[in-house]
Amino acid sequence: MIQLTEKWINTNFDILNEKIFNSFYGCKLPKPKFVVSRAKNTLGLFHYLKMDHTGYSYVIKISKYYNRSEKELIDTLCHEMIHEYIQYNNIHDNNAHGTKFCRMMGEINCNYDMHMSVRSDISNVTISNDYSKPTKLIVKSNVEKISK
């Protein structure tokens, strides 16, 4: 298994940003703050903070609670980047994993041999401690808007 670090997230964000979001969608995403979390209930999370007149501050969190392959971590990172793309481009969807989100996820999965989903089966994934784990986990990537 890979050692998940903010540096790893940063490097792979840059690769996905150029390969998919800039080349395929024509939009290079701004670099968010990266956080490695130990969340049990979410594999990844995107949220943003509205700044006064300077725009938005973005954060992508990826959990290291579960031992996952590099491919699975890249799928999670890309999933969160779709949320950032939708927010950054002010695209209105019917919910966090709505029609537009799912369309983008499907396009990326097909064109880039990825396996992103809204829910992940983690029943065979080991965890880094003795906590019990659920058999299904929602990739909670709900866009959280936090106002100052």
Side-chain angles (χ1 to χ4, degrees), residues 4-18 30-36 60 62 77 81:
L4 181 63
T5 64
E6 290 172 13
K7 181 178 178 183
W8 181 94
I9 298 170
N10 184 60
T11 298
N12 284 284
F13 178 92
D14 288 344
I15 293 167
L16 293 171
N17 202 11
E18 184 56 40
K31 180 118 9 162
K33 177 181 177 186
F34 301 114
V35 176
V36 176
I60 289 179
I62 306 291
L77 175 58
M81 291 173 74

Side-chain angles (χ1 to χ4, degrees), residues 22-88:
N22 191 33
S23 295
F24 192 70
Y25 290 105
C27 177
K28 195 165 188 176
L29 298 173
K31 180 118 9 162
K33 177 181 177 186
F34 301 114
V35 176
V36 176
S37 76
R38 291 195 48 79
K40 298 178 214 175
N41 297 326
T42 60
L43 298 178
L45 179 71
F46 166 77
H47 67 92
Y48 63 96
L49 174 65
K50 172 85 169 119
M51 308 307 277
D52 293 329
H53 62 281
T54 58
Y56 293 92
S57 172
Y58 302 107
V59 178
I60 289 179
K61 296 180 181 181
I62 306 291
S63 177
K64 68 176 185 176
Y65 183 79
Y66 297 98
N67 294 317
R68 297 184 295 140
S69 70
E70 184 169 24
K71 179 93 172 107
E72 292 167 322
L73 291 168
I74 288 171
D75 284 349
T76 299
L77 175 58
C78 191
H79 177 116
E80 302 313 326
M81 291 173 74
I82 295 171
H83 286 292
E84 181 180 1
Y85 177 90
I86 287 172
Q87 196 288 321
Y88 180 69

Side-chain angles (χ1 to χ4, degrees), residues 48 79 82-106 118 141-143:
Y48 63 96
H79 177 116
I82 295 171
H83 286 292
E84 181 180 1
Y85 177 90
I86 287 172
Q87 196 288 321
Y88 180 69
N89 289 289
N90 200 28
I91 297 169
H92 298 283
D93 208 346
N94 50 342
N95 63 54
H97 294 120
T99 305
K100 293 174 184 173
F101 177 93
C102 289
R103 183 178 306 123
M104 281 186 72
M105 184 175 63
V118 174
S141 304
N142 297 336
V143 178

